[in-house]
Amino acid sequence: MPEKGAETGVETGADRVVDEVLALFAAHGHATYSERVTMEQHARQAAALARAEGADDALVLAALLHDVGHFLAEADSEFGVTDHGTSGGAWVAERFADDVSEPVRLHVAAKRYRCFVDPGYEAELSPASIGTLRLQGGAMSADEAAAFEAEPFADAALAVRGWDDGGKLAGDAAGGLEVPPVDHWRPLLVDPGLRR
Ligand SMILES: [Fe+2]
């Protein structure tokens, strides 16, 4: 029996999206994210941290997919750095609901916002993240920060940002955190409640 509200072909569409996500991780997940983790390890750690902190399914999925823009723009690394929130957010928005895609879109802005409101934050960033901050425009201005705060998903983006910053630990058992494989999150990827 199809679930209430499900449309014909939803299952096929969900399977296609799972295939797309897994294919992106298979093709690009081995790429280096930092000196300590690959792109895939980073994404898996971010999702695991989100779950460990009791985040809802939409935010866990956002954490898993937050850097998908890097996968889409691998051939152009500078574009990937500066615009991976926008490009990744657009890709996610074609497939998932706003509470998944918006935190992805805003997670780079969230870093720039944190740098504006919290002077100690930049010092906590990884060396790579400090380097990319310059390319991304540095700390927000007061006007930019006010616009960010007006975003409906600003808090969600800040939460994803925190797991992004935390998901840079060496090894799969990062700091004792159980870090499941990408496929573990398949139920979220096919959840009609999280889909566009
Ligand atoms: Fe990230």
Side-chain angles (χ1 to χ4, degrees):
M1 280 284 283
E3 288 184 30
K4 187 171 171 236
E7 296 167 26
T8 305
V10 158
E11 196 147 3
T12 304
D15 289 344
R16 179 180 57 77
V17 170
V18 172
D19 288 346
E20 285 181 312
V21 170
L22 296 180
L24 280 172
F25 275 102
H28 307 288
H30 62 275
T32 300
Y33 179 84
S34 74
E35 47 291 333
R36 278 184 278 183
V37 289
T38 65
M39 283 285 182
E40 182 181 309
Q41 287 172 320
H42 172 61
R44 288 166 47 210
Q45 288 181 15
L49 286 166
R51 181 54 96 215
E53 289 188 18
D56 66 17
D57 286 349
L59 271 182
V60 172
L61 195 50
L64 181 73
L65 299 176
H66 77 273
D67 271 343
V68 76
H70 279 310
F71 297 167
L72 305 172
E74 193 180 52
D76 184 344
S77 60
E78 183 158 326
F79 176 80
V81 165
T82 56
D83 207 44
H84 77 278
T86 304
S87 59
W91 191 90
V92 175
E94 289 173 8
R95 294 157 178 83
F96 296 98
D98 287 354
D99 50 356
V100 182
S101 66
E102 283 293 278
V104 174
R105 180 176 73 83
L106 293 168
H107 85 278
V108 174
K111 177 168 84 168
R112 298 185 55 230
Y113 174 80
R114 283 287 308 272
C115 288
F116 171 73
V117 295
D118 179 359
Y121 174 69
E122 185 173 338
E124 297 168 16
L125 291 170
S126 67
S129 201
I130 290 171
T132 55
L133 175 65
R134 303 281 160 258
L135 291 168
Q136 291 158 346
M140 281 185 167
S141 67
D143 284 350
E144 288 174 320
F148 178 82
E149 287 169 356
E151 291 278 358
F153 291 92
D155 288 343
L158 288 165
V160 168
R161 185 73 232 171
W163 302 317
D164 181 359
D165 295 334
K168 303 178 181 182
L169 302 162
D172 273 353
L177 181 75
E178 192 68 30
V179 183
V182 176
D183 193 56
H184 172 82
W185 304 112
R186 180 183 290 262
L188 275 55
L189 292 165
V190 301
D191 183 346
L194 301 178
R195 298 292 308 284
R196 173 61 52 201

